[in-house]
Amino acid sequence: MSETQQAMAMLIRVFHKYSGKEGQKTTLSKGELKELLTNELGDILGKSNDKTAVDKIFKDLDANTDGTVDFQEYITLVACITMLCNEFFQEQ
């Protein structure tokens, strides 16, 4: 596989590593999202125990307001963080 295909496969694996522990296997609950953010993006986002911050991220991601974060909503988060990191490193 190409590097891009490997990256795509890894994003899919990471989502499914956390999804389904508390509910449907195709979505992330608030608790699952918090665990994913802490374990997978903690270096970027900081390891926050701030419930308000997690609630805000969850609310912002849950575009269809169904009380869960689906794969498309998760990918939106990853894409936004990637764009911010790109902008940061271009300014360096």
Side-chain angles (χ1 to χ4, degrees):
M1 280 196 291
S2 70
E3 287 184 37
T4 301
Q5 291 170 324
Q6 289 176 25
M8 290 166 52
M10 181 171 293
L11 288 171
I12 293 166
R13 279 194 305 272
V14 167
F15 178 84
H16 291 291
K17 176 180 174 181
Y18 295 94
S19 67
K21 292 180 178 182
E22 297 177 4
Q24 296 179 20
K25 64 182 182 177
T26 58
T27 61
L28 296 166
S29 67
K30 192 179 294 183
E32 292 164 341
L33 178 66
K34 181 179 188 234
E35 184 180 2
L36 185 152
L37 293 174
T38 300
N39 294 342
E40 304 293 335
L41 296 168
D43 292 344
I44 295 171
L45 299 176
K47 300 202 186 267
S48 174
N49 289 324
D50 183 354
K51 184 178 179 327
T52 305
V54 173
D55 288 346
K56 177 160 179 27
I57 291 170
F58 188 84
K59 183 176 183 263
D60 290 346
L61 285 179
D62 186 14
N64 63 2
T65 64
D66 67 352
T68 62
V69 171
D70 63 25
F71 186 76
Q72 183 175 343
E73 293 163 336
Y74 156 77
I75 287 299
T76 300
L77 169 70
V78 173
C80 289
I81 292 172
T82 303
M83 290 183 332
L84 291 172
C85 288
N86 182 51
E87 290 172 11
F88 174 79
F89 287 114
Q90 283 183 351
E91 293 174 3
Q92 299 299 317

